Amino acid sequence: MADELHNQTVTWRELWNETADLIGDRAHARWLCEVASSSARPDEFLAELDQAATVRMVSHLDAMLARYRAGEPVQYVLGQWSFRHIELAIDRRVLIPRPETELVAEVAIEKAAAIGPTRLIADLGTGSGAIGLAMAYELPREGTTVWITDVSADALDVARSNIAGLGPAGRNVRAALGSWLDALPADELFDVIVANPPYVAVDSPDLEKAVGDWEPAGALFAGPDGLDDIRTIVGESTSRLRKGGWLILEIGADQSEPVRELMAAAGYVDIEVRPDLAGLDRIAIGRAPSSTT
Ligand code: GLN
């Protein structure tokens, strides 16, 4: 943004127009201005278009624009992103929440909602907390407990800040540091275990450049075939699920067959893979036949 604007009155309408001209994207420009103006809601931003921005707000916008123009994904620049019905604080310690993961959460909510009167849920490798916190938010307050875990203390800090932003539903959430099933209490059987684990093959030619450049490698890569973490989760979760409990995993578009095989070998039944909105096989679902504990 032009420096002369710092010292004179400028309205949000002008800032939005200038930002849009500068970056060539009116929607992104609006989101950046909304965050810089601290509007809690989009309609609030529209109502204050003729108000003057403060110097502090313009500096915030300038700082965001510098990052945006350096190629940083707009979600990280904004520092927040919506996921289903909740707003998550995000930064480079966690993956950007994605639309296909909203569908994974939807399936997990559907399965968990059919269980009652209580439901014990785990979202493993939660990152920003997206899946687990959306579940806590959308499922009945009464009887729902959601464990969210991550092996990255940095990611869990982000998830914890998002629990705080969840309101009363946050009281149903427990956060635990640790790798996959190791993070969960050993003496409880879960009704639903859900995860969006790393599933990209190391050296995958398909990974988008911006994803590899900006998002945390630990949340993306899982060995030569991308299945290392899925193997661990599928293998270790049978003994941690209640009889008839559900395992729900986000998987890579080309992993449907190997993941079906892994689930079948581990004893899962009613195995199903559902597509995302782009028609790609993305959501693997299986049911634990019986508990081994
Ligand atoms: N969907 C992400 C991508 O390929 C990968 C996320 C993951 O590994 N869980 O951009």
mmCIF file of all heavy atoms in Angstrom, residues 160-182:
data_model
loop_
_atom_site.group_PDB
_atom_site.id
_atom_site.type_symbol
_atom_site.label_atom_id
_atom_site.label_comp_id
_atom_site.label_asym_id
_atom_site.label_seq_id
_atom_site.Cartn_x
_atom_site.Cartn_y
_atom_site.Cartn_z
ATOM 1 N N ARG A 160 -5.116 -26.025 20.715
ATOM 2 C CA ARG A 160 -5.595 -25.585 22.036
ATOM 3 C C ARG A 160 -6.167 -24.171 21.960
ATOM 4 O O ARG A 160 -7.175 -23.863 22.594
ATOM 5 C CB ARG A 160 -4.453 -25.623 23.059
ATOM 6 C CG ARG A 160 -4.154 -27.009 23.577
ATOM 7 C CD ARG A 160 -3.504 -26.951 24.969
ATOM 8 N NE ARG A 160 -3.237 -28.284 25.458
ATOM 9 C CZ ARG A 160 -2.073 -28.920 25.323
ATOM 10 N NH1 ARG A 160 -1.053 -28.330 24.732
ATOM 11 N NH2 ARG A 160 -1.934 -30.139 25.795
ATOM 12 N N SER A 161 -5.525 -23.305 21.185
ATOM 13 C CA SER A 161 -6.063 -21.943 21.083
ATOM 14 C C SER A 161 -7.431 -21.990 20.404
ATOM 15 O O SER A 161 -8.314 -21.191 20.707
ATOM 16 C CB SER A 161 -5.093 -21.024 20.335
ATOM 17 O OG SER A 161 -5.084 -21.330 18.960
ATOM 18 N N ASN A 162 -7.626 -22.954 19.527
ATOM 19 C CA ASN A 162 -8.932 -23.067 18.869
ATOM 20 C C ASN A 162 -9.997 -23.680 19.778
ATOM 21 O O ASN A 162 -11.181 -23.380 19.611
ATOM 22 C CB ASN A 162 -8.794 -23.836 17.560
ATOM 23 C CG ASN A 162 -8.175 -22.968 16.478
ATOM 24 O OD1 ASN A 162 -8.508 -21.780 16.367
ATOM 25 N ND2 ASN A 162 -7.266 -23.522 15.695
ATOM 26 N N ILE A 163 -9.586 -24.521 20.730
ATOM 27 C CA ILE A 163 -10.564 -25.007 21.720
ATOM 28 C C ILE A 163 -11.101 -23.797 22.481
ATOM 29 O O ILE A 163 -12.297 -23.667 22.709
ATOM 30 C CB ILE A 163 -9.934 -25.973 22.757
ATOM 31 C CG1 ILE A 163 -9.334 -27.206 22.099
ATOM 32 C CG2 ILE A 163 -10.994 -26.393 23.799
ATOM 33 C CD1 ILE A 163 -8.606 -28.137 23.077
ATOM 34 N N ALA A 164 -10.185 -22.906 22.832
ATOM 35 C CA ALA A 164 -10.589 -21.729 23.610
ATOM 36 C C ALA A 164 -11.603 -20.890 22.837
ATOM 37 O O ALA A 164 -12.476 -20.262 23.435
ATOM 38 C CB ALA A 164 -9.358 -20.903 23.963
ATOM 39 N N GLY A 165 -11.512 -20.906 21.514
ATOM 40 C CA GLY A 165 -12.427 -20.109 20.702
ATOM 41 C C GLY A 165 -13.743 -20.802 20.388
ATOM 42 O O GLY A 165 -14.587 -20.245 19.680
ATOM 43 N N LEU A 166 -13.914 -22.005 20.902
ATOM 44 C CA LEU A 166 -15.080 -22.811 20.500
ATOM 45 C C LEU A 166 -16.325 -22.533 21.346
ATOM 46 O O LEU A 166 -17.419 -22.949 20.993
ATOM 47 C CB LEU A 166 -14.708 -24.301 20.611
ATOM 48 C CG LEU A 166 -15.506 -25.293 19.775
ATOM 49 C CD1 LEU A 166 -15.353 -25.014 18.294
ATOM 50 C CD2 LEU A 166 -15.052 -26.724 20.098
ATOM 51 N N GLY A 167 -16.151 -21.819 22.460
ATOM 52 C CA GLY A 167 -17.299 -21.588 23.338
ATOM 53 C C GLY A 167 -17.578 -22.809 24.185
ATOM 54 O O GLY A 167 -16.687 -23.624 24.419
ATOM 55 N N PRO A 168 -18.837 -22.967 24.639
ATOM 56 C CA PRO A 168 -19.185 -24.044 25.578
ATOM 57 C C PRO A 168 -18.830 -25.438 25.053
ATOM 58 O O PRO A 168 -18.474 -26.325 25.831
ATOM 59 C CB PRO A 168 -20.704 -23.912 25.739
ATOM 60 C CG PRO A 168 -21.024 -22.526 25.314
ATOM 61 C CD PRO A 168 -19.976 -22.101 24.340
ATOM 62 N N ALA A 169 -18.875 -25.651 23.733
ATOM 63 C CA ALA A 169 -18.558 -26.973 23.177
ATOM 64 C C ALA A 169 -17.116 -27.367 23.490
ATOM 65 O O ALA A 169 -16.777 -28.555 23.526
ATOM 66 C CB ALA A 169 -18.781 -26.983 21.665
ATOM 67 N N GLY A 170 -16.261 -26.380 23.741
ATOM 68 C CA GLY A 170 -14.861 -26.640 24.048
ATOM 69 C C GLY A 170 -14.687 -27.448 25.324
ATOM 70 O O GLY A 170 -13.671 -28.115 25.511
ATOM 71 N N ARG A 171 -15.692 -27.389 26.201
ATOM 72 C CA ARG A 171 -15.590 -28.160 27.453
ATOM 73 C C ARG A 171 -15.636 -29.660 27.215
ATOM 74 O O ARG A 171 -15.250 -30.436 28.083
ATOM 75 C CB ARG A 171 -16.709 -27.735 28.422
ATOM 76 C CG ARG A 171 -16.472 -26.358 29.007
ATOM 77 C CD ARG A 171 -17.263 -26.152 30.282
ATOM 78 N NE ARG A 171 -18.668 -25.881 29.995
ATOM 79 C CZ ARG A 171 -19.160 -24.669 29.792
ATOM 80 N NH1 ARG A 171 -18.363 -23.614 29.853
ATOM 81 N NH2 ARG A 171 -20.425 -24.499 29.526
ATOM 82 N N ASN A 172 -16.109 -30.085 26.037
ATOM 83 C CA ASN A 172 -16.155 -31.518 25.718
ATOM 84 C C ASN A 172 -14.868 -32.020 25.062
ATOM 85 O O ASN A 172 -14.803 -33.172 24.643
ATOM 86 C CB ASN A 172 -17.329 -31.806 24.767
ATOM 87 C CG ASN A 172 -18.664 -31.703 25.479
ATOM 88 O OD1 ASN A 172 -18.719 -31.759 26.702
ATOM 89 N ND2 ASN A 172 -19.736 -31.545 24.717
ATOM 90 N N VAL A 173 -13.876 -31.145 24.943
ATOM 91 C CA VAL A 173 -12.667 -31.500 24.196
ATOM 92 C C VAL A 173 -11.484 -31.710 25.146
ATOM 93 O O VAL A 173 -11.294 -30.945 26.091
ATOM 94 C CB VAL A 173 -12.320 -30.386 23.172
ATOM 95 C CG1 VAL A 173 -11.095 -30.773 22.359
ATOM 96 C CG2 VAL A 173 -13.507 -30.114 22.248
ATOM 97 N N ARG A 174 -10.698 -32.760 24.877
ATOM 98 C CA ARG A 174 -9.461 -33.018 25.622
ATOM 99 C C ARG A 174 -8.320 -33.033 24.609
ATOM 100 O O ARG A 174 -8.438 -33.707 23.573
ATOM 101 C CB ARG A 174 -9.470 -34.390 26.294
ATOM 102 C CG ARG A 174 -10.761 -34.751 26.996
ATOM 103 C CD ARG A 174 -10.748 -34.306 28.457
ATOM 104 N NE ARG A 174 -12.055 -34.540 29.064
ATOM 105 C CZ ARG A 174 -13.097 -33.691 29.010
ATOM 106 N NH1 ARG A 174 -12.989 -32.540 28.359
ATOM 107 N NH2 ARG A 174 -14.237 -33.981 29.587
ATOM 108 N N ALA A 175 -7.225 -32.355 24.901
ATOM 109 C CA ALA A 175 -6.080 -32.343 23.991
ATOM 110 C C ALA A 175 -4.956 -33.192 24.566
ATOM 111 O O ALA A 175 -4.716 -33.157 25.773
ATOM 112 C CB ALA A 175 -5.602 -30.910 23.775
ATOM 113 N N ALA A 176 -4.295 -33.975 23.721
ATOM 114 C CA ALA A 176 -3.197 -34.810 24.202
ATOM 115 C C ALA A 176 -2.070 -34.843 23.179
ATOM 116 O O ALA A 176 -2.303 -34.977 21.975
ATOM 117 C CB ALA A 176 -3.690 -36.229 24.479
ATOM 118 N N LEU A 177 -0.843 -34.740 23.708
ATOM 119 C CA LEU A 177 0.351 -34.773 22.866
ATOM 120 C C LEU A 177 0.797 -36.217 22.689
ATOM 121 O O LEU A 177 0.893 -36.962 23.660
ATOM 122 C CB LEU A 177 1.452 -33.970 23.568
ATOM 123 C CG LEU A 177 2.779 -33.815 22.836
ATOM 124 C CD1 LEU A 177 2.621 -32.932 21.606
ATOM 125 C CD2 LEU A 177 3.822 -33.202 23.781
ATOM 126 N N GLY A 178 1.064 -36.630 21.447
ATOM 127 C CA GLY A 178 1.591 -37.978 21.253
ATOM 128 C C GLY A 178 1.306 -38.485 19.856
ATOM 129 O O GLY A 178 0.515 -37.917 19.104
ATOM 130 N N SER A 179 1.974 -39.602 19.542
ATOM 131 C CA SER A 179 1.867 -40.174 18.208
ATOM 132 C C SER A 179 0.643 -41.091 18.114
ATOM 133 O O SER A 179 0.495 -42.012 18.922
ATOM 134 C CB SER A 179 3.149 -40.963 17.924
ATOM 135 O OG SER A 179 3.073 -41.554 16.651
ATOM 136 N N TRP A 180 -0.204 -40.829 17.166
ATOM 137 C CA TRP A 180 -1.374 -41.674 16.850
ATOM 138 C C TRP A 180 -2.034 -42.259 18.106
ATOM 139 O O TRP A 180 -2.363 -41.523 19.013
ATOM 140 C CB TRP A 180 -0.994 -42.736 15.816
ATOM 141 C CG TRP A 180 -0.368 -42.103 14.602
ATOM 142 C CD1 TRP A 180 0.826 -42.422 14.023
ATOM 143 C CD2 TRP A 180 -0.884 -40.987 13.832
ATOM 144 N NE1 TRP A 180 1.073 -41.588 12.948
ATOM 145 C CE2 TRP A 180 0.059 -40.703 12.815
ATOM 146 C CE3 TRP A 180 -2.026 -40.181 13.916
ATOM 147 C CZ2 TRP A 180 -0.110 -39.662 11.890
ATOM 148 C CZ3 TRP A 180 -2.214 -39.157 12.994
ATOM 149 C CH2 TRP A 180 -1.259 -38.913 12.000
ATOM 150 N N LEU A 181 -2.185 -43.566 18.184
ATOM 151 C CA LEU A 181 -2.948 -44.167 19.274
ATOM 152 C C LEU A 181 -2.268 -44.004 20.636
ATOM 153 O O LEU A 181 -2.913 -44.054 21.677
ATOM 154 C CB LEU A 181 -3.210 -45.664 18.997
ATOM 155 C CG LEU A 181 -4.271 -46.035 17.946
ATOM 156 C CD1 LEU A 181 -5.621 -45.413 18.309
ATOM 157 C CD2 LEU A 181 -3.901 -45.663 16.527
ATOM 158 N N ASP A 182 -0.924 -43.798 20.621
ATOM 159 C CA ASP A 182 -0.185 -43.645 21.884
ATOM 160 C C ASP A 182 -0.671 -42.455 22.688
ATOM 161 O O ASP A 182 -0.478 -42.408 23.909
ATOM 162 C CB ASP A 182 1.321 -43.430 21.613
ATOM 163 C CG ASP A 182 1.956 -44.648 20.976
ATOM 164 O OD1 ASP A 182 1.318 -45.726 20.994
ATOM 165 O OD2 ASP A 182 3.091 -44.520 20.460
#
